[in-house]
Amino acid sequence: MQASAMAAADSTKIEGFWSNWKCQAMELLYWRNLKQSGLVFGSLLLLLFSLTQFSVVSVVAYLALAALSATISFRVYKSVLQAVQKTDEGHPFKAYLDVEMSLSHDQMQKYAENVQYYINSTLKELRRLFLVQDLVDSLKFAVLMWLLTYVGALFNGLTLLIMVVVSMFSMPVVYEKYQAQIDQYVDLIRTQVNSVVAKIQEKIPGAKRKAE
């Protein structure tokens, strides 16, 4: 009983963590806080554009040098200021140095369980698609992979990442503003796709779902 209660409590904590994380992500993507969303969006774009011009090692090294230059300059400035004013305020970053940054065993276990869950779910779904558990779903997946071959021929990975980041920070706002119109067109497209899939299921032996 006690083990079950502890497991339920851990599950509740994990769900609460992901719920809080999703809320924060939604606030960023919907630009609830303009400064915060702008900072994250600009930083991601700057990082990705930097990777298009330099190697990963160079970008990491430049970022580390920029951060060190800022912190060292500030440390020297505060030390000189304290010497001139004859004050003893201590280390300028003492408040941050005292912050606990280590992960507890429970936190590590929680993150590991979440990663394990997503990996297992992904592997099961890939097994289902590649071993043709459902013929229609496997055909959809094959069409998607075929379309991706053309996408890959037009764009490299970094360009796609830049497009994904721009879409993530723009499409939610556009959808929120024009939700009614977009939903109408999406419903029309979904109806057409379902009609085509139904016709394919009728013509291909074994393509009908088990539920039917």
Side-chain angles (χ1 to χ4, degrees):
M1 293 293 292
Q2 186 177 1
S4 300
M6 292 179 63
D10 291 339
S11 177
T12 303
K13 289 180 180 178
I14 293 174
E15 291 177 358
F17 168 79
W18 284 110
S19 177
N20 184 48
W21 185 86
K22 288 179 181 178
C23 289
Q24 293 179 352
M26 288 299 102
E27 288 182 357
L28 282 175
L29 297 179
Y30 281 94
W31 295 78
R32 305 304 187 200
N33 187 322
L34 292 178
K35 290 183 179 180
Q36 191 175 19
S37 296
L39 179 62
V40 174
F41 180 55
S43 300
L44 287 174
L45 281 184
L46 179 61
L47 176 62
L48 292 175
F49 278 121
S50 299
L51 289 173
T52 61
Q53 302 297 323
F54 307 100
S55 67
V56 176
V57 175
S58 297
V59 172
V60 172
Y62 281 127
L63 288 175
L65 284 173
L68 282 171
S69 299
T71 53
I72 292 173
S73 299
F74 186 73
R75 173 69 193 279
V76 172
Y77 166 75
K78 294 295 290 186
S79 298
V80 172
L81 191 63
Q82 291 177 26
V84 172
Q85 297 179 349
K86 296 181 179 180
T87 59
D88 188 15
E89 298 178 1
H91 199 290
F93 299 116
K94 187 176 186 305
Y96 299 102
L97 291 171
D98 293 338
V99 174
E100 181 63 37
M101 295 186 65
S102 61
L103 293 174
S104 65
H105 175 73
D106 292 338
Q107 289 175 318
M108 290 293 296
Q109 185 176 8
K110 177 177 64 177
Y111 297 140
E113 288 175 354
N114 280 281
V115 171
Q116 181 184 16
Y117 170 77
Y118 286 113
I119 290 176
N120 290 338
S121 299
T122 302
L123 290 176
K124 288 179 181 178
E125 184 65 17
L126 290 175
R127 180 184 63 183
R128 187 181 73 85
L129 292 171
F130 280 104
L131 299 183
V132 200
Q133 181 177 348
D134 187 292
L135 181 57
V136 175
D137 287 344
S138 295
L139 288 174
K140 290 179 182 178
F141 184 67
V143 171
L144 176 62
M145 294 299 103
W146 177 68
L147 292 175
L148 286 179
T149 61
Y150 289 93
V151 174
L154 295 173
F155 309 102
N156 59 32
L158 282 174
T159 303
L160 288 175
L161 278 177
I162 292 173
M163 294 172 64
V164 167
V165 170
V166 173
S167 299
M168 285 173 58
F169 280 87
S170 59
M171 292 182 66
V173 179
V174 174
Y175 177 74
E176 188 177 38
K177 188 174 182 180
Y178 303 102
Q179 182 175 357
Q181 296 91 324
I182 293 174
D183 287 344
Q184 182 180 358
Y185 287 113
V186 169
D187 288 337
L188 289 173
I189 295 172
R190 185 184 293 115
T191 302
Q192 294 296 325
V193 170
N194 290 338
S195 176
V196 173
V197 171
K199 291 178 181 178
I200 294 175
Q201 287 177 319
E202 292 175 358
K203 294 182 179 180
I204 299 179
K208 291 186 178 180
R209 297 182 183 274
K210 295 180 180 179
E212 299 177 352

